[in-house]
Every structure is written in structure tokens, then in C-alpha cells.
Amino acid sequence: CHPCVAMRVPMGPLSLLLALSLLSPRGSAGGSCPPRCVCASNLLSCSQANLSAVPAPLPRFTAVLDLSHNNVTRLRADWTPARLPHLHALLLSHNGLAFVSTEAFTHVPRLRHLDLSSNRLRTLDENLFSDLGELEVLLLYNNEITTVDRTAFENLGRLRKLYLGQNRIARFPLELLREGTRLPQLALLDLSANRLRAVPAGELQALPAWLRDRLYLHNNPLACDCLLFQLLDRGHRRHLSAVVDFQDELRCVLPGAPASIKILALAGQQPLNCSKAREAVLEAHLGDSVTLGCDSRWQGVRSRHWVTPGGERVLGDGGNGSVVLLANGSLQLRALRPEDAGTYACWVAGPLLNETLYVELLVHNFTLHGPHDTLNTAYTTLVGCILSVVLVLIYLYLTPCRCCCCRGTEKPPAPRDDSINSSVLSTTPNHAGGTGEPCGSHIASSAGTGQNGRFKGGGTPPLPTRQGPKAQRKVSDPDSVSSVFSDTPIVV
């Protein structure tokens, strides 16, 4: 044969080995590509390979591992005995996965994307993902999850997207969102198509708008409630995507109703007759300090400014420091005055569109303790007036009689021509010639003689009744001004 033919025979195996080495860029030093898998650079694809376990050993340089559409039903702690420091994406969807060990992610601490969707997971146990401190996206939709432990997402400080739709969750620990410390970077939470019957609408309203914009609650058997309606109605007016894009799927159930109705259709409908709420209304009192939040849909916005009800643009400290623009975009008002009331506008320059938010401030014309102080003052004034009237009545009608036995005897009226002059110029007491009787014998004896040895009677005899206002005038008492100006000395 031709000499060149003999030389081609031993070259066949060498070319095959060379081709295999080209498939794995790190060669034998970094680990060979597992059987039934395809390796391309640092990507390892073992999808639809009919695998019942994770192939081993895995190359240390693997950055993306695709094990989807296989039969890996259990993910134990030793699925990768060696540490994979470069792995940042792990795909395990469509495997019938029913068990995941709490130590399954110990050797992959740099994981940022984890796909466990379309499996048969039923519970999310305590500290299940606590080793994934750099995880950003977690896909758990289309499973059979019924129980979610509140510590399952511990240490996920960088998690941005959490997909839990199409499960059997009856209660999700939404306090993880309210606290803001468990999942501080979370910007998307999908709880659609679960078994949620109630959500804390008031607490959800307090969440930042950029999180409510990606909080999906559609296709849940929610009970109709006016707070829930107002939450979604505000979101619809703010054009939040979680409400606008799924407004037909956001439905609720009325007691005794045969079918669910749209939540946004509850306005004015019996039996709830829900009323629409204003976007943002803040009430305060004179002298208070309040903070107006700029609740924008855009996360991390830095360009914003406020416009006061008077049309003044606030970019920093205003006036004497009573208006301050904070670093987070909120506007702080100090020592409120009545003229501070009105509608404030916050202008936000977002990454895609600009947004304008309005906050209405109501300033009550009294301090925080004003109503109580005013009420106490009114009661004090009223009691004082009543006591004054009672004292006047006592003085006018209940003054004790000088003669204890004559309390009921009314003094006879004085004659019309009686005047101060007659009593003043009189030289003797005005008691002579009277027909009136004394109060009693014991009084006469005890009284003795009056001044100048004369008997001092109890008063003058009654005169005929006269008509007119002067008929009610009383006769002067013997101890009145006539006795004061008498020429007879007073003996004590």
C-alpha cells in the first residue's frame, strides 16, 4: 500500500483525543465533561439527559449548571462533594424534585440564580437558603408548596426576585417585607395563583411603591374587603404594573355569592359599598413636625424636588430651616403653621418616565393637646359662672334676719314721701305714734330702753299699700343712717 496510508492509522485516536480536549477548555487539569452532558466554555448543560442523580465529578470551573428536565428527585448535601467557587446559576426545574437538604448549598456560596420551579416541593424548611448570601433570583413557582417557614429566607440580603406563584400557600409571612431587614433588596414578589384568602392591606399600603409595583396577588381566593379595594384602587391610579396588567385576574369572593367579582368593581357596590380613598392625606396639628414621603415607583431615584402649595420650589433648606429636603427625598416641615396646609407635589425623574406625586397636608388649628385644654378651660369658666350666680342668690335672698324670730316677717313699705333727708335730719328715732306690736314680751324686756331713755321698737307700723314701683321700697331701719346722724351720743 501507499506509505502514507500506514501513517494515517495511528493518527485517528490522537485526533479524537484532541477534539475531546477542545470541548473542555481547562483540559484534564480542570476536570473532564461528564457523560451525557455538553460543555461549552464554563457552561455545563445536562438537560434532558435522563439523569437520576447529579453527575460527578463536576468541573471546578463550572459557572452555569443546567440539570433541568431530568429525574433528580432528591438534592442531598453531597450532590457536589467538591466546592464550586465559580458556580452562579443552577437550573433544576422539571425534575420531580421533592426533597432539598438544608445543607445542599454549602459548596456553592456564590450562587446568584437558582431555579427550582416545576417540581414537587411541599415545604420550605427552616434556614433552607441561608447559605446563599449572594442569591439574587429564586424561582419556586409551579410546585406544591403549602408551608413557608419565616426563616427559610434568612441571610438573603441581596435577593431581588422571589417567584412563588402557582403553589398551595394559604399564608405567606409578609412581615418579612414589613420589617425591611430580612429582604432589604427585594423588588419582586410573586404570590399569584395560590390559596391566599386574606392579606394585611393596611400593612401592604405602608410598603414602598416600588415594591407594591411588583407584588403580584392575582388569581387568589381573596375575601372582598374595602381596605383591599382601596389598596388596589390606589395602585391602579398610580399605574402599578401588578394591578394594571392583571386587573381582570384580581378578583375576590363575597359571602354567599356564587362567583367571584373584580376587586376594582367594589366601589359603591352592595353590600360593602366601598368608597375610593385619596392618594395621600396627612393630618397634623399646629407646632408639629411632619415628614412628607415621596413614594415613587422607581427604586433608587436621586433626582427629585418638591413644590409647596404656594408654588415655591424646594431644593434644600428653605427659609429659616422650617422646610428641609431629606436625603431620601422626603420633605420635612417643622413648627407647622396654618398657612402650611395644602397640596404638596413631588417631582421625580425616573429611569424610564417622570412621575409626579401629590400629598395633601391638613393642619388642625390647635395643638396636639389643644382640644383637651380648651375643654378644661370651658368647664372651669362654666363652674365659675355657676358659683358666682349661686353666691349672688344667697346674698340677695338667704341673708339671715337680724331678729331670729322675725325671719318670716316682711318689713312694711315706706311712704312715698319718705326720703333720705327726713331720716338724716330727724332728731329722734322714727318710732313714735306707731300701732305696730313688738315681736314679743321677751323681746321688749330684753331690748330695754333705747337712746335717751326711750323705748326702741322693732319698726314702724305698716302703711297703706301704694301702687307703683316706689310702693316696694322699705322703711329705714332705726339703726340706719338716721341713727348715725343723730345728736344723741352712741353708748357702747
Side-chain angles (χ1 to χ4, degrees):
C1 67
H2 198 276
C4 293
V5 176
M7 295 183 62
R8 290 177 185 173
V9 175
M11 290 297 293
L14 292 176
S15 61
L16 180 59
L17 292 176
L18 180 61
L20 291 176
S21 64
L22 290 176
L23 288 176
S24 179
R26 305 296 178 91
S28 58
S32 60
C33 188
R36 291 183 288 183
C37 297
V38 177
C39 299
S41 182
N42 57 357
L43 307 180
L44 183 60
S45 176
C46 304
S47 179
Q48 299 181 356
N50 198 22
L51 298 175
S52 59
V54 178
L58 293 173
R60 292 186 69 256
F61 58 82
T62 303
V64 177
L65 177 58
D66 184 2
L67 295 170
S68 61
H69 297 275
N70 281 288
N71 298 317
V72 182
T73 59
R74 302 177 69 85
L75 192 65
R76 301 180 183 275
D78 57 351
W79 69 273
T80 170
R83 185 181 178 90
L84 300 177
H86 303 286
L87 186 67
H88 63 78
L90 176 59
L91 312 178
L92 281 165
S93 62
H94 298 277
N95 268 279
L97 192 64
F99 171 78
V100 177
S101 172
T102 56
E103 300 177 355
F105 308 106
T106 304
H107 292 162
V108 287
R110 299 294 181 86
L111 207 61
R112 299 197 304 269
H113 184 102
L114 178 59
D115 185 1
L116 298 175
S117 62
S118 300
N119 283 294
R120 296 181 180 177
L121 297 175
R122 295 186 177 181
T123 61
L124 299 181
D125 296 328
E126 180 180 0
N127 296 318
L128 181 59
F129 307 105
S130 59
D131 292 327
L132 302 176
E134 298 185 11
L135 191 65
E136 299 178 2
V137 180
L138 178 57
L139 286 76
L140 291 164
Y141 63 86
N142 194 24
N143 274 277
E144 301 174 2
I145 301 174
T146 59
T147 305
V148 179
D149 191 275
R150 62 177 299 170
T151 64
F153 307 105
E154 287 284 348
N155 302 327
L156 299 186
R158 297 187 181 182
L159 187 66
R160 297 185 299 106
K161 299 179 181 181
L162 177 57
Y163 295 87
L164 284 165
Q166 301 183 37
N167 278 285
R168 303 174 184 177
I169 302 174
R171 184 191 178 279
F172 180 81
L174 291 172
E175 57 268 18
L176 300 179
L177 308 179
R178 181 182 67 249
E179 295 172 1
T181 57
R182 303 288 184 88
L183 303 173
Q185 300 296 326
L186 190 65
L188 186 151
L189 176 58
D190 181 14
L191 292 173
S192 62
N194 274 280
R195 297 180 179 179
L196 298 175
R197 296 186 179 275
V199 292
E203 297 180 7
L204 295 181
Q205 179 61 35
L207 296 177
W210 52 264
L211 179 54
R212 284 184 280 121
D213 190 33
R214 295 293 187 271
L215 177 59
Y216 298 96
L217 297 171
H218 57 277
N219 289 332
N220 275 285
L222 297 170
C224 293
D225 181 73
C226 285
L227 290 178
L228 177 62
F229 161 74
Q230 293 175 356
L231 170 68
L232 298 181
D233 183 60
R234 289 190 182 99
H236 187 266
R237 282 184 289 171
R238 291 285 304 277
H239 303 286
L240 302 185
S241 60
V243 179
V244 175
D245 297 342
F246 297 94
Q247 53 184 314
D248 293 334
E249 289 80 11
L250 284 167
R251 309 180 72 87
C252 65
V253 181
L254 284 170
S260 61
I261 62 174
K262 293 182 180 180
I263 299 178
L264 294 178
L266 288 176
Q269 181 172 338
Q270 298 298 333
L272 297 180
N273 194 22
C274 299
S275 60
K276 295 190 175 185
R278 287 175 288 182
E279 171 61 24
V281 179
L282 184 62
E283 297 186 20
H285 304 82
L286 290 179
D288 288 352
S289 296
V290 297
T291 301
L292 309 182
C294 190
D295 193 20
S296 174
R297 289 180 295 166
W298 314 117
Q299 186 178 7
V301 174
R302 298 181 180 178
S303 176
R304 69 184 84 195
H305 67 273
W306 285 83
V307 178
T308 65
E312 180 183 359
R313 184 172 178 176
V314 180
L315 297 175
D317 293 350
N320 57 357
S322 60
V323 182
V324 180
L325 183 63
L326 303 181
N328 61 357
S330 300
L331 186 67
Q332 187 179 65
L333 305 176
R334 303 170 181 171
L336 287 178
R337 302 165 298 174
E339 55 267 25
D340 291 331
T343 302
Y344 292 78
C346 179
W347 298 74
V348 180
L352 300 177
L353 297 173
N354 294 337
E355 186 179 15
T356 305
L357 307 176
Y358 298 95
V359 179
E360 183 179 355
L361 177 62
L362 303 178
V363 180
H364 297 292
N365 197 17
F366 48 82
T367 60
L368 181 59
H369 302 288
H372 306 284
D373 297 340
T374 304
L375 192 62
N376 293 335
T377 303
Y379 274 121
T380 304
T381 304
L382 180 61
V383 172
C385 292
I386 293 175
L387 290 177
S388 301
V389 172
V390 171
L391 291 176
V392 170
L393 292 176
I394 292 175
Y395 176 78
L396 292 177
Y397 297 101
L398 300 180
T399 304
C401 181
R402 203 176 281 275
C403 179
C404 61
C405 64
C406 302
R407 295 181 185 273
T409 304
E410 183 180 1
K411 293 183 180 181
R416 181 182 298 273
D417 56 353
D418 186 20
S419 64
I420 188 66
N421 297 326
S422 61
S423 61
V424 170
L425 300 178
S426 175
T427 58
T428 59
N430 188 12
H431 63 270
T435 60
E437 297 180 357
C439 294
S441 58
H442 64 283
I443 297 179
S445 60
S446 63
T449 57
Q451 298 176 5
N452 298 328
R454 297 184 179 90
F455 176 75
K456 186 177 179 180
T460 58
L463 297 177
T465 304
R466 295 177 181 269
Q467 302 296 328
K470 292 185 178 181
Q472 304 298 327
R473 296 180 58 185
K474 309 297 181 182
V475 180
S476 299
D477 188 78
D479 292 332
S480 63
V481 68
S482 60
S483 62
V484 172
F485 290 93
S486 174
D487 58 352
T488 306
I490 300 175
V491 179
V492 180

